[in-house]
Amino acid sequence: MRLDVITLFPDFVAQCAAIGVIGRAQERGLLALHAWNPRDYATDAYRRVDERPFGGGPGMVMLIEPLRAALNAARAADAKPARTIYLSPQGVRLDQAKVVQLAQRERIILLCGRYEGVDERFLQHEVDEEISIGDYVLSGGELAAAVLIDAIGRLQDGALNDAQSAQQDSFSDGLLDCPHYTRPEQHALGAVPKVLMSGDHAKIAKWRRKQALGRTWQRRPDLLAKLKLNREDEKLLLEYQQDTKC
Ligand code: 9WO
């Protein structure tokens, strides 16, 4: 997959994607990341990329032309058609289902705003989709783009090892993760649940499923409400609810 990022801070975005699973995905050729700086496409002597807003008020708005030139350069760098996404609090909220959908595309261009935002005419004519990673305001779109790159990058075939891929399956069913434990078995902070030391893999799988269901019920009832549980899951959740009552 090819990702192009339009940003005034290309080094920051590249650094965010240089480490861990995403860094390795790039080394393996599963993910190609390219950054384009609108400032490099500013035509005036001061390399201006922003101007004061019409109508007055505080702050600055990103100019259409440097953005358009950077976007055109990004588009022209590869023959494959690209979807252009603007990261902003006004966008549709990102979730894992959307991440899975985007990860299947061959090419995406991410547009990062700064200041008070981008001239609305540019958004209307050049942007296909506006995405928000959550209901809060950042100082620019770069961190949101890094979130999207990370979430999409790790889903590319071969990016995760087998263990991580299996783990992925257990999250993409819409439930929160189960708790994890490692050595020591006995610690001042508590003991490891006995079932995990039993060696009974079927029993362990059932316990983990029950924990995932129970924690989703307790912490994210909104996620649970979206699911249709089968009889076995219903039974496990009921057990968890009865366990937590006493
Ligand atoms: C600035 C501002 C100042 C006063 C009152 C409201 C305000 N909103 C903004 C604003 O939205 N600034 C943006 C900064 C302009 C576009 C890029 N910026 C941004 C993107 N901040 N937060 C995001 C973002 C992107 C995706 N998901 C969550 C937040």
Side-chain angles (χ1 to χ4, degrees):
M1 179 177 196
R2 175 177 173 127
L3 286 168
D4 294 84
V5 188
I6 314 293
T7 171
L8 290 170
F9 301 97
D11 298 343
F12 173 75
V13 175
Q15 282 293 324
C16 283
I19 55 157
V21 168
I22 308 307
R24 248 178 342 263
Q26 288 189 78
E27 285 163 12
R28 290 174 185 162
L30 310 173
L31 190 72
L33 188 65
H34 301 268
W36 306 83
N37 191 342
R39 200 171 297 281
D40 295 338
Y41 298 88
T43 49
D44 71 318
Y46 306 97
R47 310 185 108 202
R48 281 210 83 98
V49 293
D50 60 326
E51 258 304 349
R52 283 152 47 209
F54 282 131
M60 303 295 269
V61 176
M62 291 183 82
L63 289 162
I64 294 175
E65 278 310 319
L67 280 174
R68 218 165 66 102
L71 181 60
N72 285 340
R75 283 189 177 137
D78 191 295
K80 289 193 291 284
R83 194 160 180 83
T84 302
I85 297 174
Y86 179 52
L87 286 314
S88 101
Q90 284 76 44
V92 175
R93 272 290 288 278
L94 185 67
D95 62 15
Q96 189 64 15
K98 182 69 191 178
V99 169
V100 168
Q101 198 190 328
L102 291 174
Q104 286 158 6
R105 291 190 173 273
E106 275 193 304
R107 213 190 150 190
I108 289 175
I109 300 176
L110 300 175
L111 173 65
C112 303
R114 278 272 151 180
Y115 317 114
E116 308 322 303
V118 172
D119 190 302
E120 188 66 20
R121 293 166 293 181
F122 179 80
L123 299 180
Q124 278 176 350
H125 284 90
E126 304 287 8
V127 169
D128 299 307
E129 196 170 348
E130 207 164 323
I131 291 181
S132 163
I133 63 160
D135 294 335
Y136 37 78
V137 181
L138 306 168
S139 49
E142 283 77 10
L143 276 170
V147 165
L148 204 48
I149 291 164
D150 193 280
I152 288 174
R154 63 191 291 284
L155 292 187
Q156 299 304 306
D157 270 344
L160 299 178
N161 63 38
D162 288 352
Q164 292 167 325
S165 297
Q167 180 62 32
Q168 176 61 37
D169 290 342
S170 76
F171 182 80
S172 54
D173 60 12
L175 294 176
L176 301 184
D177 205 1
C178 64
H180 304 282
Y181 297 88
T182 185
R183 67 189 177 86
E185 187 184 340
Q186 302 291 339
H187 188 277
L189 297 184
V192 173
K194 268 211 180 63
V195 56
L196 297 178
M197 314 306 294
S198 69
D200 184 340
H201 296 300
K203 217 169 134 190
I204 291 169
K206 242 171 122 172
W207 179 85
R208 287 182 168 152
R209 184 78 186 170
K210 180 169 152 183
Q211 293 297 315
L213 287 159
R215 277 154 50 119
T216 308
W217 167 68
Q218 282 181 318
R219 302 180 188 195
R220 293 296 305 276
D222 59 310
L223 292 182
L224 200 58
K226 289 191 210 164
L227 301 175
K228 177 87 191 87
L229 300 186
N230 63 30
R231 306 250 311 267
E232 174 67 11
D233 283 345
E234 289 277 15
K235 200 189 103 200
L236 288 173
L237 178 57
L238 197 65
E239 274 178 35
Y240 184 98
Q241 289 165 334
Q242 280 160 352
D243 293 349
T244 49
K245 245 182 241 157
C246 48

